């Protein structure tokens, strides 16, 4: 055979390989094909193609592997078991940028499913290779490497520590300063995943000067970037007071409040989460946010949003009110109580209701003024219903009960207490009666109202053990009224009168 | 004397008798008189003693009286002083209490719980909240309008492009177009667009294909141009302007021709002049210490591998000095080379559109 014919055979083979690998890569984008591909044994066929002489085939094979591993964790495990990872890691250091992108994509697809797979990726020495790729010029390679590192660090603290130990954090901070938006996004998300596990990791991230760059990027118009940036800042500030103070010193407030009106839902949610993490540490930080008008912005945000994203806003209001009486009054003055009442009614989820009940407890527990504000919004009957409802979860019942108790111990607003007389169980009733017994001796109008609204009648009907606190309160209330009235309203009085009528002998 | 002696001698017996009688009487009364005398004497003595005692008592009483009075007055004075002191202290205490009351009231009302400051703070907070809410609303509104505007512009652009592509659907006198149905009261929006649209230019103007002359070409302007024969020539002729440009194309000297003969020397002179202008220091900086050259230890920060290396992004110069010593200095001015003189100019660009 002539030379050309011999070479033609090779060319045909190469064409066939190229076509195979490209088609597999395309098929792998659709989830319905992946099962079939897996059953056809695509892994064992793709593996030798990774070592092919033609670079395009290598890259496309890597891409196809990545897409397959992305789909579910069985395939990812198959990738790990087939010993493909060391080869990928080796070639990550050597090859051109397309291959690097594809190899980083495979590593990320494998690492994303579970902590064990991520550990397997780390054990192959992928971290050093990925960190070296972070220094590349091409932004696509940087993005892929940073994404892979982010997925590795996401699972638990040890993996994040391993990522930090390989020296990735300063490079990620450099990546944040790159002009391409995609690289910025991924770098911010990776920093967020690293910082979320423990205070030491967050401190490491902060030490490389990440906060200043993240703070600058809050003004960027891109919505996805803002999501990641706020998430990163929130994860950093949640661990300790010092970290929260450092985040605040970067002067993000009040500019960040503008992002509360962003059309993207998750940007708003992450901003509120950041504010919650900052306010939960000390009263000074909460004071700073209140003075910047943050409470009003968050209350408007609660009004505009629905569902699970309301939770950080509610918790933030609760934390602000918990610190001191001044701050709780600030929350009340910013019209927080009606909004929280709406949340309590509208939201179907138990954990959001529990958070709202907790927030009410924190607002109302300081002074009678606060308790009055909470009671005037007609919240106490709702809390009582939540406590008594058998459908509500344990947590919700406990929180509703605590909130009710703490508000009732300071509440002197009698019109709101009266409905509770009728429905409350005895441990709540004790507090209600206690409040009545404190207020009634001093206020004659209230006494009159109490009688005319039927409260006195109800109080007489309560059975209490003699010597218990409840009995003492009832006695205190009875002492405010003349004998005849008390006897008139005591149960069984009409029978007693009728008996007297019967036994009376006309003269 | 003698008379008395004569007178008294008869009486000597009587005297003796009287003497003995007297003695006898005295002897008989001696006991009685003695005891009486003793009694009287003891009474007298008693009286004397009593008188003396009472005298002493009186004196002692006087002394004690005076002493006691002195002591009592002293004591009293002390008591008066103490009472005075207590009275003053009570008064001072009361005044101090008044001062402390005022001070505590002031202090608590100003620093511990300042009702009016709190009220003012809450009012200011409400105002700040209102302001924040307004600003956020405005911002949201502004952003919404921005987005709407961008969306509308994009839509407008899309419609324009679509109209450009469908320009042939314009209605003519004979045949009303698709968008201009005779049954409609007025033509459709698309029809109006089609009327306004400008045709798409697929080929770029030929003017840009010629190299731009740096000097203003006086050839074209001075030349007397004859008026064109036909306004738009019928047939596959190139436009007259193009032909004129080709015919009267100015000289574009090659790099070799354009470079003066003395270009190398001029460049060297220029370099020398620059060196003369900019270099200030003739002697290199010598360190103060006489210690032999120590190897310079760079800072850990500077030696850290976590910086982006400048080599490759900022410069491509060789950093290894030892390699550089061997090489000759970099030549920046060369003799001309003829490779690119005719580049792009050999053939006309007539057939290039295909």
């Amino acid at each position: 055979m002539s030379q050309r014919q011999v070479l033609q055979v090779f060319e045909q083979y190469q064409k066939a390989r190229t076509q195979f690998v490209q088609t597999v890569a395309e098929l792998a984008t659709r989830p319905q094909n992946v099962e079939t591909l897996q059953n056809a044994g695509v892994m064992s066929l793709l593996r030798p193609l990774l070592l092919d002489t033609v670079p395009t085939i290598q890259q496309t094979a890597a891409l196809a592997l990545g897409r397959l591993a992305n789909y579910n964790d069985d395939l990812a495990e198959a990738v790990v078991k087939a010993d493909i990872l060391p080869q990928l890691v080796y070639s990550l250091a050597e090859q051109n940028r397309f291959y690097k992108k594809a190899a980083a994509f495979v590593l990320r697809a494998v690492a994303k499913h579970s902590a064990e797979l991520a550990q397997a990726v780390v054990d192959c020495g992928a971290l050093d290779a990925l960190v070296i790729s972070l220094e590349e010029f091409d932004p696509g390679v940087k993005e892929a490497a940073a994404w892979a590192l982010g997925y590795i660090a996401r699972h638990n603290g040890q993996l994040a520590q391993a990522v930090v130990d390989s020296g990735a954090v300063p490079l990620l901070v450099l990546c944040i300063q790159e002009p391409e938006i995609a690289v910025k996004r991924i770098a911010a998300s990776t920093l967020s995943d690293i910082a979320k596990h423990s205070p030491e990791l967050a401190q490491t991230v902060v030490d490389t000067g990440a906060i200043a760059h993240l703070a600058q990027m809050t003004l960027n118009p891109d919505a996805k970037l803002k999501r990641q940036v706020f998430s990163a800042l929130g994860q950093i500030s949640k661990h300790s007071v010092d970290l929260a103070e450092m985040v605040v010193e970067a002067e993000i407030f009040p500019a960040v409040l503008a992002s509360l009106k962003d059309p993207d839902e998750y940007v708003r949610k992450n901003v509120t989460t950041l504010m919650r993490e900052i306010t939960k540490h000390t009263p000074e930080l909460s004071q700073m946010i209140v003075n910047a008008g943050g409470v009003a912005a968050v209350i408007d945000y609660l009004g505009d949003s629905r569902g699970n994203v309301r939770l950080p806003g509610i918790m933030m209001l609760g934390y602000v009110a918990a610190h001191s009486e001044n701050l709780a009054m600030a929350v009340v003055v910013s019209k927080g109580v009606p909004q929280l009442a709406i949340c309590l009614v509208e939201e179907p989820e138990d954990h959001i209701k529990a958070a709202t009940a907790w927030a009410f407890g924190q607002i109302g527990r300081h002074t009678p003024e606060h308790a009055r504000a909470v009671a005037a919004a007609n919240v106490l009957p709702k809390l009582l219903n939540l406590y008594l409802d058998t459908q509500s979860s344990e947590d919700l019942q406990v929180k509703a009960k605590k909130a009710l108790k703490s508000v009732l111990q300071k509440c002197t607003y009698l019109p709101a207490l009266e409905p509770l007389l009728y429905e409350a169980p005895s441990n709540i009733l004790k507090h209600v009666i206690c409040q009545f017994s404190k207020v009634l001796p001093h206020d004659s109008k209230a006494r009159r109202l109490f009688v005319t609204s039927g409260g006195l009648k109800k109080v007489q009907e309560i059975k209490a053990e003699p010597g218990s606190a409840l009995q003492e309160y009832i006695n205190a209330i009875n002492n405010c009224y003349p004998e005849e009235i008390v006897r008139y309203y005591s149960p069984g009085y009409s029978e007693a009168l009728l008996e007297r009528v019967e036994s009376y002998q006309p003269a | 004397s003698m008379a008395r002696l004569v007178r008294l001698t008869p009486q000597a017996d009587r005297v003796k008798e009287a003497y003995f009688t007297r003695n006898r009487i005295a002897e008989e009364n001696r006991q009685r008189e003695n005891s009486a005398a003793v009694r009287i004497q003891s009474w007298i003595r008693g009286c004397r003693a009593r008188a003396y005692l009472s005298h002493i008592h009186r004196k002692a009483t006087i002394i004690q009286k005076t002493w006691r009075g002195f002591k009592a007055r002293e004591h009293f004075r002390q008591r008066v002083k103490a009472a005075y002191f207590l009275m003053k202290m009570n008064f001072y205490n009361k005044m101090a209490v008044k001062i402390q009351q005022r001070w505590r009231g002031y202090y608590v009302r100003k620093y511990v719980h300042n009702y009016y400051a709190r009220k003012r703070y809450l009012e200011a907070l409400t105002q700040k909240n209102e302001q924040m809410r307004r600003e956020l609303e405005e911002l949201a509104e502004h952003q919404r309008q921005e987005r709407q505007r961008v969306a509308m512009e994009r839509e407008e652009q899309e419609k324009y492009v679509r109209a450009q592509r469908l320009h042939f659907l314009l209605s003519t006198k004979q045949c009303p177009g698709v968008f201009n149905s005779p049954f409609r009261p007025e033509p459709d929006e698309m029809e109006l667009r089609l009327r306004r649209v400008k045709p798409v230019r697929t080929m770029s103007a030929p003017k840009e294909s010629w190299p731009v002359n740096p000097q203003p070409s006086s050839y074209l302007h001075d030349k007397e141009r004859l008026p064109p024969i036909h306004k738009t020539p019928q047939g596959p002729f190139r436009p007259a302007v193009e032909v004129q440009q080709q015919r009267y194309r100015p000289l574009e000297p090659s790099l070799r021709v354009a470079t003066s003969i003395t270009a190398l020397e001029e460049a060297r002179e220029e370099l020398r002049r620059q060196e003369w202008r900019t270099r200030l220091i003739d002697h290199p900086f010598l360190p103060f210490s006489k210690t032999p050259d120590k190897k310079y230890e760079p800072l850990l920060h500077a030696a850290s591998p976590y910086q982006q290396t400048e080599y490759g992004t900022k410069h491509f110069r060789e950093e290894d000095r030892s390699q550089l010593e061997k090489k000759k200095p970099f030549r920046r001015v060369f003799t001309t080379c003829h490779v690119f003189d005719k580049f792009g100019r050999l053939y006309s660009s007539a057939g290039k559109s295909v």
Side-chain angles (χ1 to χ4, degrees), chain A residues 249-260:
Chain A
E249 273 163 24
E251 288 177 30
I252 44 177
F253 290 99
V256 144
L257 297 175
S259 305
L260 273 174

Side-chain angles (χ1 to χ4, degrees), chain A residues 287 291-292 300 325 334, chain B residues 118 121 125 129 132-133 147:
Chain A
Q287 185 73 54
N291 288 349
D300 282 352
E325 176 266 325
S334 318
Chain B
R118 185 178 132 108
Y121 168 71
L125 186 68
N129 284 344
M132 178 58 66
R133 280 186 170 125
R147 280 195 296 275

Side-chain angles (χ1 to χ4, degrees), chain B residues 134-151:
Chain B
R134 251 180 296 131
E135 280 181 11
L136 285 180
E137 274 301 319
E138 278 173 21
L139 190 75
E141 189 57 41
H142 182 76
Q143 279 180 348
R144 206 192 339 238
Q145 281 177 357
E146 211 33 57
R147 280 195 296 275
Q148 253 182 0
R149 187 185 62 87
V150 165

Side-chain angles (χ1 to χ4, degrees), chain A residues 318 340 344 353-367 370-372 374-375 379-387 394-411 417 420 428 431-432:
Chain A
L340 283 173
L344 190 62
K353 285 199 211 255
T356 322
W358 170 77
F360 274 125
Q362 296 304 323
I363 295 176
R365 73 182 165 98
H366 297 279
T367 72
H370 298 81
R372 185 201 180 99
V374 169
V379 159
L380 297 175
K382 300 195 182 98
L383 283 175
L384 188 63
N385 285 341
L386 284 175
Y387 171 52
E394 267 294 324
D395 182 49
L396 175 56
Q397 281 180 345
V398 163
K399 288 211 164 85
K401 174 169 169 222
K402 270 176 85 165
L404 208 48
K405 268 180 142 167
S406 46
V407 172
L408 281 175
Q409 272 165 356
K410 294 278 186 198
C411 185
L417 287 180
L420 291 181
I428 306 285
H431 296 289
V432 178

